[in-house]
Amino acid sequence: MKEKIAEYFFLICSLISIGAVALICFFIFRGAYPAVQTVGLWPFLTGGLWKPTDIPPLFGIFNMIVGSVYVTAGACLIGVPVGVFTAVYMAKYCPQKIYAGMSQLVSLLAGIPSIIYGFFGMMLIVPFIADNFSGNGNSVLAASIVLGVMVLPTIIKVSEVSLKAVPKTYYEGALALGATKEQSIFFVLIPAAKSGILTGIVLGIGRAIGETMAVVMVAGNANILPETIFKSVRTLTANIVLEMGYASGTHFDAIVATGAVLFVFILLLNLVLGVINKGSKTAGT
Amino acid sequence: MNLHYGAFHALHNVNLGIDENEITAFIGPSGCGKSTLLKSLNRMNDLVQTCRITGKITLDGEDIYGNIDVNMLRKRMGMVFQKPNPFPMSIYDNVAYGPRTHGIKKKSELDRIVEESLKNAAIWDEVKDRLKKSALAVSGGQQQRLCIARALAVKPEVLLLDEPTSALDPISTVKIEDLLLELRERYTIVIVTHNMGQAARISDKTAFFLHGEIVESGLTMDIFSNPSDRKTEDYITGRFG
């Protein structure tokens, strides 16, 4: 009897989590539907003009989709190499003495609120870009750098764990063949930890594409298709948060639909994760 | 030579010559230092931070702890571990890993080395149709012969084997023993083993270790038929260990 009660309790907890996901899915797509019906799916996704106050209003989020992809790709260009190599350092080079401190600092990086990252970008990176390159500094580049730093802890932690999980015998086997430490790491260790590292990267991408506050603070948010990395950019998330406060009617629906598009991106990333994990399972046996 | 792990004196005044083109077996109970000595020969003990070695180990007269390239040393001294440890990649890539590491890029050259190494390790016929398949998919015994092939692919002079059959079934063990007897013609082989029968069957020379010392070493025949030390006799007749 007691066991049954415990079982039901755990079941209810699980249902709450699953229910939350299901509800979010349902409401975001239901909320998005009216906008898609009014504007049309294709014009909505591929339209370059977003003029909610014009008569008739225009709702095209193409620039923002591209914007989100740009800053996320930029974040990867910065965050992936730095993150993966930091993980390699922590897993294979770092002296015991500084490991604990370093590990804690990485965890701290994960805990910093995004608005603080935003300030960091506003006060340091934006002025730096304005002074040394073109434009006023609010740009694709600034957003990419801030996001690149923000995804570091995710990439570092997950990669480090998977690098450490690689059997020591692989590393020793490579060394015993006369490979240098670097050759052993790059051609045996990293390939063996590949699925874990990829998981970290995908999780990092998820974080970058969904990040809002820090991006709004440094991206400039103009609804244009940026021609250079020094130009302003508006992401999907920025579009939502900037206009949510005063939107109504179709405008509001279109904003929810923007969120739905973002949600689809996240679903796709999850799909990729599933494939990676499945691949690692079959390769591991 | 002497070897310490931190404060622990793991090898005491070990003095041993290993002859070319012979199989030398290290026997003795667990923790006696035989694997430690083996790992000192290709400096895998360098990975243990607290490890300290005094004295000298020479290969062809050259002090291997002197001013030498460790990676070249390890290339000359192939090592096979207790647990088969093929890399999680294809059979081909496993064998080609060493040569690639040492700068061989030409496909035809790699193909030749891979085939030759697998043939020398007596596993070619079993895997030739699935070279592109994962090395982790073959049996434990095949994995171990694959590891031997991988070691042979870098053209070593010496093969160091650390209990290479202890994780394998009897049939695989016999295959590996036969293989080692064949390889003796071309390589100098040092094998650490727990299996007394194995030492007696395949080795030319045997060294018996106890508590970090070599109690007795010499021709395998003599050690097994007429040990000069009481402790050796007790061990090989199974009274302890």
Side-chain angles (χ1 to χ4, degrees):
Chain A
M1 185 59 207
K2 250 189 182 156
E3 277 171 34
K4 274 280 167 218
I5 292 175
E7 192 185 324
Y8 284 130
F9 178 72
F10 297 140
L11 177 68
I12 288 165
C13 289
S14 318
L15 287 179
I16 290 174
S17 334
I18 297 168
V21 174
L23 278 178
I24 290 171
C25 271
F26 177 71
F27 278 98
I28 194 94
F29 287 114
R30 197 187 70 163
Y33 185 69
V36 173
Q37 218 177 16
T38 322
V39 184
L41 183 62
W42 197 245
F44 180 66
L45 291 178
T46 59
L49 293 173
W50 177 269
K51 296 202 185 299
T53 50
D54 277 17
I55 302 169
L58 287 165
F59 300 103
I61 61 164
F62 182 70
N63 295 346
M64 300 158 209
I65 294 177
V66 173
S68 278
V69 170
Y70 276 180
V71 297
T72 304
C76 283
L77 281 179
I78 296 162
V80 169
V82 176
V84 172
F85 294 138
T86 304
V88 168
Y89 179 76
M90 288 180 71
K92 276 289 149 194
Y93 289 90
C94 187
Q96 205 63 45
K97 269 189 235 160
I98 63 169
Y99 177 80
M102 200 167 163
S103 184
Q104 253 170 15
L105 285 179
V106 173
S107 300
L108 180 63
L109 204 56
I112 295 175
S114 55
I115 197 147
I116 304 292
Y117 278 101
F119 276 129
F120 156 71
M122 272 174 87
M123 297 190 298
L124 196 73
I125 296 167
V126 169
F128 179 83
I129 294 171
D131 291 347
N132 294 282
F133 302 100
S134 63
N136 66 2
N138 289 304
S139 57
V140 176
L141 181 62
S144 298
I145 293 173
V146 170
L147 286 175
V149 177
M150 288 182 81
V151 300
L152 283 178
T154 313
I155 296 177
I156 293 171
K157 284 282 172 192
V158 180
S159 304
E160 189 208 337
V161 167
S162 62
L163 281 169
K164 282 193 164 165
V166 173
K168 235 181 138 176
T169 56
Y170 292 171
Y171 180 60
E172 287 174 352
L175 286 183
L177 288 170
T180 62
K181 185 170 185 176
E182 289 69 36
Q183 286 169 329
S184 307
I185 288 171
F186 281 96
F187 300 108
V188 174
L189 214 58
I190 291 181
K194 192 176 57 191
S195 70
I197 293 173
L198 285 176
T199 300
I201 292 171
V202 173
L203 290 174
I205 292 174
R207 167 135 210 226
I209 203 164
E211 177 50 42
T212 310
M213 208 57 227
V215 174
V216 169
M217 290 167 81
V218 299
N221 308 314
N223 180 31
I224 53 165
L225 209 55
E227 296 129 12
T228 72
I229 56 170
F230 305 114
K231 287 276 165 61
S232 172
V233 65
R234 179 185 283 211
T235 63
L236 293 167
T237 52
N239 192 44
I240 298 169
V241 78
L242 289 172
E243 302 189 3
M244 205 71 230
Y246 63 87
S248 63
T250 305
H251 185 194
F252 181 83
D253 295 338
I255 296 238
V256 177
T258 311
V261 171
L262 182 66
F263 196 66
V264 168
F265 272 107
I266 297 294
L267 290 178
L268 286 177
L269 285 177
N270 263 285
L271 215 64
V272 172
L273 264 189
V275 172
I276 292 171
N277 287 331
K278 209 172 152 199
S280 75
K281 261 177 210 135
T282 49
T285 49
Chain B
M1 54 83 78
N2 279 275
L3 183 145
H4 293 78
Y5 288 130
F8 176 62
H9 196 170
L11 290 174
H12 302 256
N13 303 319
V14 168
N15 194 357
L16 183 72
I18 293 168
D19 293 311
E20 253 179 82
N21 294 82
E22 283 190 349
I23 298 182
T24 303
F26 292 176
I27 60 169
S30 296
C32 65
K34 54 195 188 312
S35 291
T36 296
L37 179 60
L38 190 78
K39 283 187 209 148
S40 305
L41 300 180
N42 69 342
R43 293 187 55 174
M44 287 304 282
N45 273 337
D46 289 10
L47 297 183
V48 183
Q49 274 175 5
T50 57
C51 177
R52 190 165 51 82
I53 288 173
T54 53
K56 234 180 180 180
I57 301 176
T58 61
L59 173 64
D60 296 339
E62 197 181 0
D63 183 1
I64 64 166
Y65 283 85
N67 186 21
I68 59 140
D69 178 347
V70 182
N71 302 312
M72 283 317 286
L73 170 75
R74 291 185 182 141
K75 180 177 179 298
R76 292 173 70 187
M77 301 252 219
M79 185 170 231
V80 176
F81 297 80
Q82 182 172 358
K83 224 178 128 244
N85 62 342
F87 303 136
M89 44 179 94
S90 73
I91 292 172
Y92 183 95
D93 288 338
N94 259 279
V95 183
Y97 179 82
R100 278 178 179 147
T101 295
H102 297 290
I104 297 175
K105 292 204 175 68
K106 248 175 79 188
K107 177 90 169 64
S108 57
E109 177 81 356
L110 285 171
D111 285 350
R112 195 185 55 72
I113 293 173
V114 169
E115 179 170 346
E116 187 185 289
S117 306
L118 288 168
K119 275 181 177 158
N120 287 339
I123 190 179
W124 172 252
D125 290 331
E126 291 160 62
V127 298
K128 63 175 183 233
D129 299 322
R130 43 178 171 160
L131 292 177
K132 298 289 168 201
K133 292 272 165 62
S134 168
L136 303 177
V138 300
S139 77
Q142 289 173 327
Q143 287 187 13
Q144 194 63 301
R145 276 179 286 147
L146 175 63
C147 289
I148 294 176
R150 188 176 68 188
L152 296 180
V154 294
K155 309 238 181 313
E157 296 156 39
V158 183
L159 264 188
L160 308 172
L161 303 110
D162 191 358
E163 297 182 39
T165 60
S166 64
L168 304 180
D169 61 273
I171 294 171
S172 303
T173 300
V174 171
K175 281 192 184 157
I176 296 216
E177 286 178 8
D178 290 345
L179 170 62
L180 293 179
L181 286 170
E182 263 175 55
L183 292 174
R184 179 178 57 174
E185 315 268 315
R186 277 164 290 160
Y187 304 93
T188 302
I189 296 176
V190 184
I191 180 170
V192 167
T193 179
H194 261 117
N195 181 336
M196 226 67 59
Q198 182 167 68
R201 280 192 298 274
I202 65 171
S203 72
D204 302 291
K205 302 261 174 68
T206 297
F208 170 59
F209 288 67
L210 191 63
H211 307 310
E213 282 177 82
I214 295 186
V215 175
E216 192 172 347
S217 66
L219 288 173
T220 301
M221 228 168 17
D222 293 344
I223 294 219
F224 278 85
S225 61
N226 189 17
S228 57
D229 195 293
R230 184 65 201 275
K231 284 178 277 191
T232 315
E233 190 180 342
D234 286 351
Y235 183 71
I236 59 176
T237 52
R239 247 166 273 173
F240 77 98

